[in-house]
Amino acid sequence: MNTTAVAFAVLALALAGPAPALLARARWPFRAPRAAMVLWQAIALAAVLSAFGSGLAIASQLLVPGPDGRPTTSPTKEIDALGFTLWLTYVVVFLITLFIGARLMVSVLRVGVRTRRRRARHRRLVDLLDRSDRSKTAADIRVLDAAEPIAYCLPGIRRRVVLSEGTFASLSDSEIAAVLSHERSHLRARHDLVLEAFTAVNEAFPRFVRSGSALGSVTLLVELLADDSAVKVAGRRPLARALVACAQSAAPSGALAAGGATTLIRVQRLSGPGADLRIDIAAYVAAATILVVPTIAVAVPWLVELNRLFHGL
């Protein structure tokens, strides 16, 4: 059991520290954003599960066999078997594990509620300020009275693609098609849910533990995925010109904008090499390995031991 706890702890630390740092500095995700996204999700999930696994493995030491071979269920019997100091250590670890789980659930709810409230308020605002001709534009498009090019989307059930009059004045038809495809790709793939999950995990852990590399990298990856969808519709050059035109446009919290701080990286990527199937395969294999191999190698012996303990063998 102690070996299991140590293995889970080492795995959690590796997946929370060195692994994200190395992946965040890598350049290959630019050529395989979808596979990189899967790998990031595998790392995050495996890190959380490993942290819980370590805590629960240590807490399981409370289930020492009693005289009849069955696990003890009374604190006094556990103290007699373990000693007060060791028993207290196991209890504290178990309480910390429960606290981390509760904090993570609260963070997920808080981020979800906060984001949806902001989107709802902004959705009502853009509906009021809409200057579009409803007979000529799609039902999900809203047009704002602003001279600068603006393009972003508001995900959700009542989704919106928000453009400005400056966008129509500055961009050609092919560039507008690229922007619309980019934003609708965000809406269709529900990239907002991916970002919410990573935001919740980031906020759930203390500042001295968490790292912004995962959230920042995933934020860039969802933009790359949307860019790839836009390229299929309008081509690379129209998308690049549209990104440069909308680079300074700001989006409200909870929205996904076409431009932003990552515009230069994304435009440079459009002139670089395309996808490589070998990179995709390697990333998917790595993601599966991170999730499956540690679970089999570490969790199965622990479950076997618990089964033996509960059956008094």
Side-chain angles (χ1 to χ4, degrees):
M1 287 294 195
N2 289 328
T3 302
T4 300
V6 171
F8 271 129
V10 170
L11 181 61
L13 290 174
L15 294 176
L22 290 173
L23 185 54
R25 291 196 297 267
R27 307 297 295 177
W28 65 262
F30 293 170
R31 301 182 64 184
R34 192 174 304 280
M37 178 71 75
V38 172
L39 181 57
W40 269 115
Q41 291 173 318
I43 289 174
L45 180 58
V48 171
L49 292 178
S50 297
F52 281 114
S54 179
L56 293 175
I58 294 174
S60 68
Q61 298 298 303
L62 293 169
L63 301 174
V64 294
D68 59 353
R70 299 287 182 175
T72 56
T73 57
S74 170
T76 56
K77 293 181 180 179
E78 294 167 358
I79 294 174
D80 291 338
L82 297 171
F84 179 76
T85 302
L86 192 57
W87 174 83
L88 183 61
T89 300
Y90 292 157
V91 169
V92 169
V93 170
F94 181 59
L95 293 177
I96 291 175
T97 303
L98 293 179
F99 173 76
I100 293 174
R103 184 181 174 89
L104 182 58
M105 289 187 289
V106 169
S107 180
V108 170
L109 291 175
R110 183 173 61 243
V111 170
V113 171
R114 181 181 66 208
T115 301
R116 280 157 182 76
R117 284 179 176 174
R118 289 175 177 173
R119 285 184 192 147
R121 287 196 297 268
H122 195 79
R123 187 182 297 112
R124 290 192 295 268
L125 183 61
V126 296
D127 286 347
L128 288 173
L129 298 177
D130 181 30
R131 298 290 298 272
S132 64
D133 183 348
R134 304 308 309 149
S135 63
K136 297 181 180 180
T137 57
D140 62 342
I141 293 178
R142 299 294 182 269
V143 179
L144 302 180
D145 182 13
E148 64 273 15
I150 297 174
Y152 61 87
C153 66
L154 293 168
I157 298 177
R158 294 181 296 168
R159 63 189 192 180
R160 301 285 187 271
V161 176
V162 182
L163 305 175
S164 66
E165 292 182 340
T167 303
F168 290 97
S170 304
L171 274 60
S172 66
D173 289 345
S174 61
E175 293 164 0
I176 292 175
V179 167
L180 289 175
S181 176
H182 176 97
E183 299 303 337
R184 284 173 173 157
S185 175
H186 282 316
L187 298 174
R188 183 172 57 253
R190 293 310 306 264
H191 290 155
D192 57 301
L193 297 180
V194 177
L195 294 177
E196 278 187 32
F198 277 88
T199 301
V201 172
N202 187 64
E203 293 186 3
F205 290 91
R207 292 184 178 180
F208 64 88
V209 175
R210 71 190 184 201
S211 171
S213 59
L215 180 58
S217 296
V218 170
T219 301
L220 174 59
L221 286 175
V222 298
E223 295 301 333
L224 300 185
L225 289 171
D227 287 346
D228 289 345
S229 294
V231 166
K232 294 177 182 178
V233 173
R236 294 192 174 198
R237 287 189 177 182
L239 175 61
R241 291 194 295 264
L243 292 178
V244 172
C246 298
Q248 300 302 318
S249 65
S253 178
L256 297 169
T262 61
T263 298
L264 178 59
I265 296 175
R266 292 157 56 199
V267 171
Q268 291 174 340
R269 172 180 177 263
L270 292 174
S271 61
D276 189 330
L277 182 60
R278 293 172 298 178
I279 297 177
D280 284 335
I281 294 174
Y284 287 130
V285 170
T289 301
I290 287 172
L291 282 177
V292 175
V293 172
T295 301
I296 295 176
V298 179
V300 170
W302 179 38
L303 294 175
V304 170
E305 177 64 18
L306 283 180
N307 182 68
R308 186 199 65 77
L309 184 62
F310 275 109
H311 286 82
L313 298 179

